[in-house]
């Protein structure tokens, strides 16, 4: 799983979206650093950062019929935290 983070002022440039999912409450993406942050419904105050995520993966996550399934299949193991 990614590195746990708290929302902070330095994330001001991050685009954050609410996600309609039983697994993910919200997700954010910083295009400049290519960092995807996921907040899970089980821990809504703690975000997990995934590094090196291309913009297309962020867009695909937002369009996925199941954000949780998309995350597990395309992000969780492919973009580990450093």
């Amino acid at each position: 799983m990614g590195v746990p983070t708290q929302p902070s002022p330095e994330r001001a440039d991050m685009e954050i979206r609410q996600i309609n999912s039983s697994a993910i409450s919200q997700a954010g993406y910083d295009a400049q650093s290519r960092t995807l942050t996921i907040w899970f419904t089980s821990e809504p105050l703690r975000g997990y950062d995934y590094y090196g995520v291309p913009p297309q993966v962020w867009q695909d996550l937002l369009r996925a019929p199941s954000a949780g399934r998309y995350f597990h299949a395309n992000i969780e193991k492919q973009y580990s935290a450093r």
Side-chain angles (χ1 to χ4, degrees), residues 2 61 73:
L61 173 68

Side-chain angles (χ1 to χ4, degrees), residues 57 61 66-79:
V57 171
L61 173 68
S66 170
R69 284 189 191 134
Y70 183 86
F71 169 79
H72 289 298
N74 299 287
I75 298 169
E76 184 176 32
K77 299 226 181 345
Q78 286 82 349
Y79 302 100

Side-chain angles (χ1 to χ4, degrees), residues 27 44 49 60 68:
D49 290 339
D60 291 346

Side-chain angles (χ1 to χ4, degrees), residues 16-20 24-27 62:
I16 298 176
R17 300 271 187 94
Q18 296 295 318
I19 304 294
N20 185 16
I24 298 172
S25 61
Q26 59 183 351
L62 296 177

Side-chain angles (χ1 to χ4, degrees), residues 28-66:
Y29 186 68
D30 182 326
Q32 184 173 0
S33 67
R34 295 172 58 126
T35 301
L36 175 68
T37 304
I38 303 285
W39 287 268
F40 295 97
T41 56
S42 60
E43 296 183 83
L45 298 178
R46 176 179 281 179
Y48 291 86
D49 290 339
Y50 295 86
Y51 301 100
V53 178
Q56 188 61 50
V57 171
W58 164 242
Q59 292 301 316
D60 291 346
L61 173 68
L62 296 177
R63 287 194 282 271
S66 170

